[in-house]
Amino acid sequence: MKTIDCLGDMCPIPILKAQKALKLSPSGTTIKVVTDHSCTLESMLNHFKKYEITSTEAINGVWEIFITKS
């Protein structure tokens, strides 16, 4: 699983980083995006509708977003 560190990054930077990683990855790959901006999760859900997305708040104020390429 590839992890993308987006701590401190504001939208649309996490979207662009995830998009690039998904483009270079084969089907079935899961990308983990780590962010400290709550708006990033909503943006990911809206932008990557064709992918399976799950998330967890790893620690207070830090989210891990898992995007699986189908």
Side-chain angles (χ1 to χ4, degrees), residues 3-23:
T3 300
I4 302 171
D5 181 358
C6 292
L7 295 172
D9 292 343
M10 301 286 284
C11 286
I13 301 302
I15 297 287
L16 296 172
K17 286 181 177 181
Q19 194 170 35
K20 181 179 179 182
L22 287 166
K23 183 178 181 180

Side-chain angles (χ1 to χ4, degrees), residues 12-65:
I13 301 302
I15 297 287
L16 296 172
K17 286 181 177 181
Q19 194 170 35
K20 181 179 179 182
L22 287 166
K23 183 178 181 180
L24 299 173
S25 301
S27 295
T29 300
T30 299
I31 305 293
K32 177 170 78 170
V33 178
V34 181
T35 182
D36 53 359
H37 290 278
S38 60
C39 64
T40 300
L41 174 57
E42 187 174 334
S43 295
M44 294 278 182
L45 290 169
N46 289 330
H47 190 77
F48 297 112
K49 291 182 180 182
K50 67 180 182 176
Y51 300 114
E52 180 184 335
I53 299 176
T54 58
S55 66
T56 184
E57 190 169 4
I59 58 173
N60 192 26
V62 176
W63 292 267
E64 294 178 340
I65 304 167

